[in-house]
Amino acid sequence: MKKVVAKFGGSNLKKKEDIQKLVKVIKAYDRPMVIVVSAFFGITNHLITSLTEVKKDETHINKLTEFLREIKEESIFENFEDEGWRTKTMTLVEQRINELSRYLTGIHYIGDVPEFVEDVVLSYGERLSSLVLTSILQAKGINAEEALPESMPLTTDGEFGNASVDYELSSEPVKERLKDDKIYIVPGFYGVSSQGKVTLLGRGGSDYSAAALARCLDAESLDVWKDVDGFMSADPKLVTSPRRIKTLSYSEAAELSYFGAGILHPRTVEPLKEVSIPIHIANIDAFNGHIEPRTIICGSEQVTDSIIKSVTYSNDFCMLKLRGAGVGLKKGVLAKVTAALDQAGINIKSVITSQIVINLMLSTKDIKCAYKLVEELKLSAITEILATEQISTIAVVGEGMLDKPGISGRLFMALAQRNINVQMIVSGASAVASYFIVASDDREKAVSAIHDEFF
């Protein structure tokens, strides 16, 4: 029998009741499986802050470790009735926190955070989650075992901070390590390089690591448990009566994730599309004793009557405009700019060019650094550099968008009727998505207008 890989995120690990629900779900599967867990809610942010603080203040190490200790002690006290299990689990937690403390002490004394050390430190949120959950399951008589990525190994390309899993190197070792008929608990978010160094799989990368394990195992499915009701036609906070989407294609799910729908990490689809492993999105708050996905993501490309399946948005886009009469003609301008940004580790989300302007869409956190880098290039073809920050990207997604006439017209009309100005629109780059830029103040009106038009 093929295994199921199930992933539980930080939103499933906030309080005692959440862990109790999680245990009930695991019992309902009633089969050997692999469970991938994120850090307890908020812990990764504390670890990120600690990297800066401990460089200048050694006392912050004790503050952080005490904070982690209190959280884990509370969780252990709430979820263990047996004093022996409490003591045993807390001893293991203490050992892991002491490991983290040694890395933080090293950071303080050298006054710097090497990339490989940063990745190790940030992996400890997931390591603590997997340890505690494994003990909880064992204490309840469930045949469970913690399996760390380095013990497989789950091998990556070695890029710190945003690595990719090497399936050729990983598949057979992962199958061998996770072959027994039991429940394995794996901390998400990281793998190891071929040299054995911890490499993170990108912020929010536990979804991606779960997908990578599902591919290595040729799993029956990847089941992602959330505290929401699957993918919706729009954010329920912005529209009335959003519709639940029962089925999405891999491409639709990838575009929705990329453009801000916070259900999946954007890279989750990547490992599974080629091997046709379905992704099931389940709602832990709606669990009634049966494993029932709310949205299924698979290879089926269904075209609906309205064409549009969902409208989503992201505020994590900024525009860097490079103007000049010759930017579209002069050879090498774009190449030099992109090379400089790549060397600085800045990802370009999209490029839209014309004769007189090159528009680079970047993440909000990168815009100021990118502006400075381009300015320092002193390219004669660029006469003006503009950074536009107060914008939102609105995306509409659905199979058949390029084949159905009139979709763009309906979009523009819906926005015009609400007096919303579209600063830029891109259609055709993806077969299943169109996106456009509006002022951030118009974001909610834009999503609502489009949803009203199509739903």
Side-chain angles (χ1 to χ4, degrees):
M1 178 189 292
K2 289 186 175 183
K3 282 186 166 68
V4 168
V5 176
K7 187 264 178 176
F8 296 92
S11 61
N12 303 138
L13 299 166
K14 291 181 182 176
K15 51 189 183 294
K16 176 184 176 182
E17 293 77 14
D18 295 334
I19 295 177
Q20 290 175 342
K21 286 181 195 173
L22 190 153
V23 173
K24 289 179 181 177
V25 168
I26 293 169
K27 286 182 175 180
Y29 275 100
D30 192 27
R31 62 185 291 177
M33 60 189 300
V34 175
I35 296 168
V36 178
V37 290
S38 298
F40 277 35
F41 188 78
I43 283 184
T44 301
N45 287 334
H46 277 89
L47 291 171
I48 290 171
T49 301
S50 74
L51 290 171
T52 301
E53 296 295 331
V54 299
K55 285 193 294 184
K56 55 189 178 183
D57 183 4
E58 189 174 11
T59 64
H60 190 79
I61 298 173
N62 289 332
K63 292 177 184 176
L64 175 68
T65 55
E66 189 58 35
F67 166 75
L68 294 175
R69 193 175 290 112
E70 287 176 2
I71 287 180
K72 299 307 172 184
E73 279 182 337
E74 182 180 358
S75 178
I76 289 167
F77 183 81
E78 289 177 339
N79 288 283
F80 290 91
E81 297 178 2
D82 183 90
E83 186 62 36
W85 273 106
R86 285 180 182 173
T87 302
K88 177 183 176 181
T89 305
M90 197 60 219
T91 299
L92 293 172
V93 166
E94 195 68 43
Q95 290 172 0
R96 206 154 279 188
I97 289 176
N98 287 340
E99 293 172 8
L100 172 62
S101 180
R102 287 194 288 273
Y103 282 109
L104 296 174
T105 301
I107 289 171
H108 173 72
Y109 280 115
I110 66 174
D112 194 15
V113 188
E115 285 182 317
F116 74 94
V117 176
E118 179 175 343
D119 280 21
V120 172
V121 168
L122 296 186
S123 73
Y124 269 87
E126 279 69 17
R127 292 169 187 262
L128 289 167
S129 291
S130 60
L131 190 158
V132 171
L133 181 58
T134 302
S135 284
I136 290 171
L137 295 177
Q138 289 173 345
K140 294 182 181 297
I142 297 172
N143 186 13
E145 177 186 336
E146 184 186 36
L148 299 177
E150 55 265 42
S151 73
M152 300 173 195
L154 183 65
T155 305
T156 72
D157 60 4
E159 181 182 347
F160 294 110
N162 193 29
S164 298
V165 172
D166 187 321
Y167 304 110
E168 187 175 340
L169 293 178
S170 299
S171 292
E172 289 307 316
V174 167
K175 286 178 183 176
E176 179 63 25
R177 175 67 180 86
L178 306 178
K179 67 181 180 180
D180 292 339
D181 289 340
K182 61 174 65 176
I183 293 176
Y184 291 98
I185 314 296
V186 182
F189 193 31
Y190 77 96
V192 291
S193 69
S194 55
Q195 289 77 40
K197 292 187 180 296
V198 168
T199 50
L200 298 185
L201 302 173
R203 187 68 197 270
S206 290
D207 283 355
Y208 171 61
S209 55
L213 287 171
R215 173 166 174 163
C216 290
L217 293 167
D218 189 25
E220 181 179 306
S221 66
L222 169 62
D223 296 0
V224 180
W225 287 86
K226 310 290 291 187
D227 58 356
V228 295
D229 215 24
F231 279 90
M232 308 295 286
S233 56
D235 186 341
K237 299 184 184 72
L238 301 187
V239 303
T240 56
S241 304
R243 299 180 186 179
R244 177 167 59 87
I245 307 171
K246 295 181 179 179
T247 306
L248 285 171
S249 69
Y250 291 117
S251 296
E252 289 171 327
E255 293 287 12
L256 285 171
S257 300
Y258 180 72
F259 284 108
I263 307 296
L264 285 178
H265 187 278
R267 296 186 67 191
T268 310
V269 169
E270 175 190 315
L272 305 180
K273 183 176 181 179
E274 293 179 7
V275 291
S276 299
I277 295 174
I279 304 170
H280 296 164
I281 309 298
N283 183 357
I284 200 164
D285 290 334
F287 176 68
N288 60 2
H290 303 284
I291 308 299
E292 297 175 351
R294 308 301 287 169
T295 299
I296 297 175
I297 300 163
C298 59
S300 176
E301 299 176 352
Q302 298 180 2
V303 179
T304 61
D305 291 339
S306 65
I307 303 296
I308 303 299
K309 286 198 177 81
S310 184
V311 52
T312 188
Y313 69 91
S314 174
N315 292 327
D316 189 29
F317 282 81
C318 289
M319 188 76 72
L320 190 66
K321 294 177 176 285
L322 313 179
R323 288 182 173 167
V327 293
L329 282 177
K330 191 166 179 62
K331 184 175 66 175
V333 174
L334 184 57
K336 289 174 183 175
V337 170
T338 57
L341 298 182
D342 178 62
Q343 191 172 4
I346 295 175
N347 180 50
I348 300 172
K349 296 190 172 193
S350 185
V351 180
I352 306 103
T353 65
S354 73
Q355 170 62 31
I356 61 170
V357 63
I358 296 173
N359 298 284
L360 301 175
M361 294 186 71
L362 309 172
S363 179
T364 303
K365 65 181 177 60
D366 294 326
I367 190 71
K368 291 179 181 177
C369 179
Y371 185 101
K372 183 178 179 182
L373 286 169
V374 175
E375 193 175 43
E376 290 173 350
L377 290 174
K378 299 186 183 303
L379 299 176
S380 59
I382 299 174
T383 57
E384 185 180 22
I385 306 171
L386 296 174
T388 306
E389 298 186 59
Q390 301 301 316
I391 59 174
S392 290
T393 301
I394 313 295
V396 290
V397 174
E399 293 284 349
M401 285 192 59
L402 295 186
D403 303 319
K404 178 77 171 180
I407 297 296
S408 293
R410 290 177 66 187
L411 287 170
F412 276 114
M413 185 61 69
L415 296 171
Q417 288 173 348
R418 302 281 184 95
N419 295 316
I420 298 170
N421 180 50
V422 177
Q423 299 182 19
M424 182 179 296
I425 185 166
V426 177
S427 186
S430 167
V432 300
S434 292
Y435 66 93
F436 49 92
I437 309 298
V438 300
S440 56
D441 289 345
D442 289 332
R443 180 198 70 198
E444 294 184 15
K445 285 196 299 180
V447 171
S448 178
I450 294 167
H451 194 268
D452 287 349
E453 170 65 23
F454 287 92
F455 296 96

